[in-house]
Each structure stands twice: as structure tokens, then as C-alpha cells.
Amino acid sequence: MTKAQIVGWAHSQFGKTEYPDTEALMAAVSGPALTHAGVEASDVDGVFVGVMNGGFSKQEFQAALVGMGNPDLANVPSVRLENACSTGSAAIYTAMDFIESGRGKIALVVGAEKMTAVSTAQVSDILLGGSYRKEEAEVEGGFAGVFGRIAQHYFQRYGDRSEELAMIAAKNHSNGMANPFAHMRKDFGFDFCNTVSEKNPLVAPPLRRTDCSLVSDGAAALVLAGEETAATLQRAIGFRARKHVNDVFALSRRDMIAFDGPRRAWQGALADAGVTLDDLSFVETHDCFTIAEMIEYEAMGLAAQGEGYRVVRDGTTAKTGRLPVNPSGGLKSKGHPIGATGVSMHVISAMQLMGEAGDMQLSNPNLAGVFNMGGAAVANYVSIMERVK
């Protein structure tokens, strides 16, 4: 069986952009991704689109928009995937299955979201679609309130870790200064992130504004090819392993701060890859909120449960640390256009592995870990990636 490999990519600026809709956003990255890969639209056997939507736009049937923005792709079979905040990874994995099943040789994956065209109240309500509305729709603060509740439970069990959350926010904003695609390229520093103020109010206690990822527009695309095809192209990033694990949707029916789904995804991916965390050069992880990144340290095995704070305090996850986490700035600095996020995380990691990350570049990375999460640790995707050409 041939293995799917990443052979090209493109990434838009994230933030409040001039692009009017996802059609324009996807058009901005689909053509450049094909050019970067060195393939033509006529070579593409399938298009896989990641857009959550959920009310950001009245336009559904988003898969067909790729062909509207890029007419050369209008007759290529196209399908849309949605899996909350892990929508982009769902699109990637489905495209990989398409190639590895032998149904096609080259696939284009495009992830996008236009979030800033609706009101803050609408954004909050749409994002609650990533929660179990039967039980969680009335949580104060919307989806931020869900993670505020997670933080409250975590603090009750393990102690107040607000300072460490501020350290994570400051780390990611500092890293994001080097990311030309980032929504917020500003180094706020620890003191600002750790202080409740008019500019940094409590959003969903104990989470402050600096503990929450940004509402952003953006798109990212990548091109996948089978090994034989990839061997004829300029670059190739392989997957040593990939794992998708789900957990129970409703928070009431599981330990909400255990992040058991992410833990099982990490354990499975590392086992399949035959590596440990010590073998990884860096990790791009899903810091939709700083509390998520801290618990993810524990889920990936960097720290025992309740001790995730230790690895940010001792510098383990700093850009110059033993295992840099979110050298791109993460969702916290880069932004979180829902459908684009999983694709962006894989593109940024591929850039690092190819030595094409510019000012973000780490020194000689050879193995990357990517963790993308849908909902409150419900749909969990872990990729272990390496350069093969």
C-alpha cells in the first residue's frame, strides 16, 4: 500500500482579513499550493475541504466553492469535512485514506473559515455547536465558558495555576512574533498576561482574554501524493504515524480534565511510530485556551496529571527548550479560523521539517508532533511527521 505524503502547501495571513468569504480564502491558497508542489490542477484526483461554518455564512455546499474560486478545479471530485475545531485534520486524514486506498494519486486539501463577518454574540453561539448543547448550551461565556469550567475544575483539584497559564500565553505570543501568518504578532509579556485589567479582562473566569485564542479569518492548503508520485516531486513530508481517537461528547459523562482522548491518541501515535517524546523535535498543539495546552502537556506524557505547570516553568516547552511547543505561536498568537486550523498546523510543521519556516525556523528538526482537537477533547488527531525528501 502506498503512503500519502505532503508535497506542497500554501498559507494565508490569519486575522481580520479583506477576503469577503471562504470562496475567496480558498482561492487564495489552492492555486499557490499546487504551484508549490509542482503539479497542475489537471493532476488532482480529489479535493477535500475543511470548513466548519455552522452559521458563519449562509452558504453551505462549501466543497463546490473551490471550483468557483479556481475554475481549473471545478470538475475535480470534491467533498467537505466537518469535525468542529479538528475539521482541517479530518480533511487531511480523509484525503490520505483516498490516496492510500488507491482511489487517487494526488489530492488537494483546503481548510478555511471566515469568522469576523458576524457579531461576537453570533461567534459565541456558533462555537457552542462544538459542545453538547443539550447540557452545555447555557454555560455562561459560550465555548470559552466551557473551558473556563474546565479550568475551574482543574484548579479545584490541583491548585490555582493562573500564573502558569499566563506563562503559556506569553510564550506563544513571543513565538508568534516570528510568524508572518500570525493574527496577533505582539509580545505581551508575562506581567500583562498574568494581570486582570481593562485590556485583559476575565472572559470566562479564571480565563482572561490572553488565555483565549483569537477569532480569525484564514485559509491553508496542502497537496498530498502517493509515495511513487512524491518521489518525482521536489519535496515530501511523510507521516511516521497518525491517530484519530474520540471521547464521549458530553462533559458530564467523563472526567473533563483527564483529557483521556488526547492521551490515547498520543499513546497510539507514538507506539505506531516506534518513538517517544524524546525523539520529537517540536510539537504544534491545540491551544484554543491556555488551560488546554497545559493539560495537553500531561496528555502527551510530558508531565504527570496535575503537573503540567512544571514544564512551562522549567522551560521545557520554550522555543529553546527540550521540546518546543507551538514555535509558530500556536492558536493563541496565530489565530484559530476553525476549518483552517488543522491544515495550518500540518503546513507549519512541514515548513519546519523542510527548513522553509523562515524566521520561525528551529535548528535541524527531524520529527514533528501535531495535536489537533475537536470540541473539548472529543475528536483528537495526532500526527508524527518527518521529512522523507
Side-chain angles (χ1 to χ4, degrees), residues 88-112:
S89 290
I92 294 171
Y93 281 27
T94 302
M96 293 178 72
D97 291 343
F98 172 75
I99 289 172
E100 293 176 0
S101 70
R103 292 179 56 217
K105 294 182 178 180
I106 295 178
L108 173 67
V109 179
V110 187

Side-chain angles (χ1 to χ4, degrees), residues 143-222:
F143 200 62
V146 171
F147 275 87
R149 180 182 291 184
I150 289 171
Q152 290 171 5
H153 281 255
Y154 189 92
F155 288 5
Q156 288 167 4
R157 191 177 302 179
Y158 299 120
D160 189 328
R161 294 300 172 196
S162 296
E163 284 194 3
E164 287 81 10
L165 298 189
M167 290 177 182
I168 290 171
K171 166 184 73 71
N172 290 348
H173 276 293
S174 177
N175 289 349
M177 292 285 288
N179 185 348
F181 308 115
H183 182 158
M184 185 69 74
R185 298 181 72 187
K186 185 173 182 179
D187 187 355
F188 288 101
F190 167 74
D191 288 340
F192 179 85
C193 294
N194 193 46
T195 303
V196 176
S197 65
E198 184 178 347
K199 292 185 176 181
N200 189 30
L202 288 168
V203 174
L207 301 180
R208 301 144 296 198
R209 180 176 290 164
T210 50
D211 292 308
C212 307
S213 59
L214 301 159
V215 173
S216 312
D217 309 330
L222 56 81

Side-chain angles (χ1 to χ4, degrees), residues 7 34 39-40 43-47 98-99 104-108 223-226 229 233:
V7 296
L34 296 175
V39 302
E40 302 293 333
D43 298 321
V44 177
D45 299 308
V47 176
F98 172 75
I99 289 172
K105 294 182 178 180
I106 295 178
L108 173 67
V223 180
L224 291 160
T229 303
L233 300 173

Side-chain angles (χ1 to χ4, degrees), residues 285-331:
T285 202
H286 193 100
D287 59 319
C288 49
F289 301 92
T290 53
I291 185 64
E293 179 167 330
M294 191 164 72
I295 301 177
E296 286 158 20
Y297 296 159
E298 301 166 14
M300 71 175 74
L302 264 184
Q305 284 187 296
E307 296 186 0
Y309 72 95
R310 294 183 182 273
V311 297
V312 69
R313 277 204 171 272
D314 67 15
T316 295
T317 57
K319 199 168 184 178
T320 56
R322 177 170 62 85
L323 183 62
V325 174
N326 287 334
S328 69
L331 285 57

